[in-house]
Amino acid sequence: MVKLTIDGKLVEAPEGSTILEAAASVGINIPTLCYLKDLNEVGGCRVCVVEVEGAEQLVAACNNTVLEGMVVHTNSPKARSARKTNVQLLLSQHDSSCTSCVRSGNCTLQTVANDLGIYRLPYKKHVEHNSWDRSFPLIRDNEKCIRCLRCIQVCEKVQGLGVWDLTNRASHASVDVRGRKPITAVDCAACGQCITHCPVGALRERDDTDRVFDAIADPNKVVMFQVAPAVRTSWGEQLGLSHEEATVERLCAVLHEIGADYVFDTDFSADLTIMEEGSELLHRIAEHDAGGEDAPALPLMTSCCPGWVRYVKARYPQFVPQVSTSKSPQQMFGAMAKTHYAEVLGVDPKDVFCVSVMPCVAKKAEAALPTMVGDSGEPDVDVALTVREVVRMIRASHIDPVNLDDRELDRPLGFGTGAGVIFGTTGGVMEAALRSAYFLVTGKNPEPDAFKEVRGREGWRECTFDLNGRELRIAVCHGLANAGKLLDALDKDLTYYDFVEVMACPGGCVGGGGQPIHDGRELAGERARVLRSLDKGAQVRFSHENPDVLACYKDYLGEPLSEKAEHLLHTDHSAWYMP
């Protein structure tokens, strides 16, 4: 332990701790802007500068370690003046049109400037303009960029993509797509992690809320919403609701109040996905074990995460044939809504407007794929909204969820099991699939928690299970950098699996790029615990016992992997282009 003094307080901190960490341990807050622990500790913004007695210059608290006997002043006149000047210089190169910014009220730069009492700028304003394809799901606005480098770091270190790069030097430095290419010409997974790690509004999702409001206002449209599993863990965060208040049933009431005709649960189509993907797994294993020239390769890889599918197509195209052909739950729902349910309602599929509420930015890209359309030429899903967009719609509609009672989701596409709920967290798809695969092989249910070894926070974890005498080797990974390591190992024959689950975002959908932003905090673990508790308390915990799914097979699809199921619920990943 190292003893030092910070703002007159005697502090003991572990050797190697930063001044920032030591100060926080005794409740002293040093403002930061570019800092993200273990990810971006470059001291670039100079907002966290402090005065250390005996040192000629101010030092950055985020990347300078404590020393025995050190005396630190975090808010001395010298430190405060420099901090204020640094922020004023940043603001001179920042579009401060806060009233028209999606991050207003949730912007770290705005907070720091307000705390420093900056009410005028002594420097001439100069902001950088950039051209951008506004049809792409992810939007970059360099007029708001403060060059903190967070987007570069998270894209490189966590996602292993390196889409962003720093161009030019000194005062001409700028963050842009590497090689200054159009975003559509590089292998961006559209995961949105750069958005949730940006401290300002330089990165955001394409806003599609007006398209939904227009559909609601159209008397000829039947507007159906679907709500993804991970959304129920987060939609109330920006509205000040607790997890107990922000139930999916309360969100159902809110969406009906906004104008939805029907609100369904994507948990239903998550269960449907398990029936198709689980059956696909068992067929592939049987054909592989039988051998022969045309025997399919293992492992089978999950397909429910569009960011992961974009990644594997771009970086490891040799593995695309091993990605499950099952559509994601979002797309399966849209396909069923515009066929089976449209028939039940007696409406033209072209009059059904399907909106999905997702914790994801890549879902916008998935919904627009040319392969995700029905026989009528209409897209399975018309609009995919992030959680942040839905919150904006709630506020624009002047709705206070506290004043609404819970409302049950609509049936028959609104019932989901505990297995469907855990789709939103890393390992959840694998666990749900194994529960049903065990039943499909043995004819009896396992204990619901028999496969809990797949749970965890490690970026790449593996387990072996006995599936009725057949050893099943599985792997689960989250974060695309981890996916790259796993695929490298498979490509070099360093490991072997039968089934692999991959989610692009750390923690899975609960940590998705479309989730509410809490700068400097990672809430995937907390949100995952909510999903696990919902699974544990669910009346039905097996996808193959979902009564609405069983009814769909009985009345419409026939059986998993039937000709109709293949036509509606499966896709060809090679039929579209990825840079």
Side-chain angles (χ1 to χ4, degrees):
M1 301 295 289
V2 174
K3 293 183 179 180
L4 69 155
T5 302
I6 305 178
D7 292 348
K9 290 184 178 181
L10 184 62
V11 181
E12 288 192 21
E15 186 178 4
S17 300
T18 63
I19 297 172
L20 184 68
E21 292 168 332
S25 71
V26 292
I28 297 174
N29 177 51
I30 300 173
T32 62
L33 189 55
C34 68
Y35 170 78
L36 279 178
K37 184 173 174 56
D38 299 328
L39 189 67
N40 200 42
E41 299 176 349
V42 297
C45 68
R46 316 308 289 176
V47 168
C48 69
V49 290
V50 297
E51 186 174 1
V52 177
E53 289 188 10
E56 284 189 30
Q57 299 178 333
L58 298 174
V59 301
C62 70
N63 63 1
N64 279 274
T65 56
V66 296
L67 298 173
E68 185 69 32
M70 178 184 274
V71 179
V72 180
H73 304 283
T74 70
N75 203 32
S76 67
K78 183 178 180 181
R80 190 167 57 251
S81 175
R83 189 175 293 144
K84 189 170 185 176
T85 298
N86 291 336
V87 174
Q88 286 174 328
L89 288 167
L90 285 172
L91 289 170
S92 73
Q93 296 182 314
H94 178 75
D95 176 7
S96 301
S97 304
C98 297
T99 54
S100 56
C101 178
V102 294
R103 291 293 293 276
S104 184
N106 184 22
C107 170
T108 307
L109 178 61
Q110 186 182 56
T111 299
V112 169
N114 289 342
D115 289 349
L116 287 170
I118 297 175
Y119 304 118
R120 71 177 188 87
L121 292 180
Y123 306 108
K124 184 180 179 181
K125 197 87 168 178
H126 173 76
V127 295
E128 181 187 350
H129 301 278
N130 68 309
S131 59
W132 198 262
D133 184 344
R134 300 277 162 164
S135 67
F136 194 73
L138 187 150
I139 307 294
R140 182 174 192 89
D141 186 353
N142 264 15
E143 294 182 6
K144 296 183 181 294
C145 179
I146 60 171
R147 296 173 292 283
C148 67
L149 311 187
R150 284 192 189 184
C151 58
I152 295 175
Q153 299 279 40
V154 73
C155 191
E156 178 66 37
K157 293 180 179 178
V158 177
Q159 299 300 72
L161 283 164
V163 168
W164 309 113
D165 199 4
L166 192 63
T167 62
N168 294 326
R169 302 288 184 199
S171 61
H172 297 288
S174 174
V175 177
D176 203 345
V177 177
R178 69 170 184 265
R180 294 190 169 183
K181 295 179 180 179
I183 188 64
T184 52
V186 297
D187 54 353
C188 175
C191 66
Q193 288 301 304
C194 56
I195 297 175
T196 56
H197 287 79
C198 178
V200 293
L203 288 157
R204 61 177 174 84
E205 72 274 34
R206 183 189 69 224
D207 189 284
D208 293 317
T209 57
D210 282 344
R211 289 186 60 201
V212 180
F213 277 127
D214 289 345
I216 289 171
D218 187 340
N220 296 316
K221 293 293 183 182
V222 178
V223 181
M224 299 181 184
F225 278 76
Q226 58 166 315
V227 180
V231 172
R232 68 204 68 208
T233 70
S234 61
W235 74 271
E237 291 172 359
Q238 293 176 284
L239 301 169
L241 302 179
S242 67
H243 288 306
E244 291 73 25
E245 295 172 307
T247 62
V248 69
E249 290 81 11
R250 183 70 57 91
L251 180 56
C252 175
V254 169
L255 294 175
H256 273 290
E257 195 75 11
I258 289 175
D261 294 301
Y262 298 93
V263 179
F264 298 113
D265 198 337
T266 312
D267 287 3
F268 157 82
S269 46
D271 287 327
L272 193 61
T273 300
I274 287 300
M275 295 302 292
E276 292 298 318
E277 195 169 74
S279 299
E280 186 180 356
L281 171 66
L282 296 178
H283 276 257
R284 181 176 284 253
I285 288 175
E287 292 176 4
H288 175 272
D289 291 354
E293 290 185 6
D294 297 327
L298 290 174
L300 179 70
M301 302 178 187
T302 57
S303 58
C304 55
C305 173
W308 146 247
V309 174
R310 289 173 65 84
Y311 176 81
V312 72
K313 276 180 65 69
R315 292 290 177 99
Y316 298 88
Q318 68 270 33
F319 286 107
V320 171
Q322 290 171 236
V323 177
S324 169
T325 62
S326 298
K327 290 182 179 178
S328 72
Q330 167 181 271
Q331 299 304 137
M332 282 198 184
F333 176 89
M336 292 300 294
K338 292 195 175 186
T339 54
H340 179 45
Y341 200 59
E343 288 182 13
V344 170
L345 294 176
V347 299
D348 189 323
K350 293 184 178 180
D351 293 330
V352 174
F353 194 86
C354 184
V355 182
S356 62
V357 184
M358 296 284 141
C360 180
V361 176
K363 288 292 181 184
K364 291 177 179 286
E366 181 186 47
L369 289 176
T371 53
M372 299 297 179
V373 297
D375 292 336
S376 63
E378 292 291 303
D380 293 336
V381 173
D382 294 279
V383 173
L385 299 175
T386 64
V387 179
R388 296 187 294 269
E389 287 174 279
V390 167
V391 171
R392 292 200 288 273
M393 289 187 69
I394 294 170
R395 287 175 169 160
S397 301
H398 310 293
I399 295 171
D400 184 356
V402 174
N403 297 326
L404 298 178
D405 294 326
D406 286 3
R407 176 169 174 169
E408 290 297 319
L409 284 91
D410 294 301
R411 301 287 292 271
L413 309 183
F415 182 84
T417 69
V421 167
I422 56 176
F423 253 65
T425 183
T426 175
V429 178
M430 177 65 70
E431 187 171 355
L434 292 175
R435 289 179 191 178
S436 288
Y438 186 92
F439 171 80
L440 293 172
V441 169
T442 66
K444 58 184 180 181
N445 285 338
E447 286 296 317
D449 298 313
F451 305 105
K452 63 182 180 181
E453 287 181 54
V454 304
R455 303 172 191 172
R457 297 284 295 163
E458 299 85 4
W460 171 8
R461 52 197 184 277
E462 57 185 29
C463 306
T464 302
F465 297 106
D466 182 277
L467 191 63
N468 200 35
R470 205 294 193 169
E471 183 182 81
L472 190 72
R473 283 179 51 81
I474 64 95
V476 173
C477 76
H478 57 114
L480 291 175
N482 291 318
K485 294 174 185 176
L486 185 149
L487 291 175
D488 282 339
L490 287 172
D491 198 40
K492 296 173 183 176
D493 293 324
L494 299 177
T495 189
Y496 170 82
Y497 301 111
D498 296 299
F499 193 29
V500 171
E501 178 208 295
V502 183
M503 291 192 177
C505 295
C509 305
V510 286
Q515 293 279 42
I517 299 171
H518 303 273
D519 193 21
R521 295 175 60 199
E522 300 290 349
L523 296 180
E526 181 181 325
R527 293 168 181 157
R529 285 190 288 274
V530 174
L531 294 185
R532 291 291 180 188
S533 66
L534 290 172
D535 169 42
K536 190 172 183 179
Q539 291 181 339
V540 182
R541 298 183 67 187
F542 299 96
S543 296
H544 56 268
E545 291 183 351
N546 184 323
D548 289 357
V549 168
L550 294 175
C552 276
Y553 280 113
K554 179 177 180 293
D555 300 335
Y556 192 71
L557 294 172
E559 61 182 7
L561 305 184
S562 68
E563 185 176 343
K564 181 171 282 190
E566 288 279 1
H567 179 65
L568 286 177
L569 308 181
H570 292 256
T571 188
D572 180 1
H573 298 299
S574 65
W576 53 277
Y577 172 72
M578 180 69 198

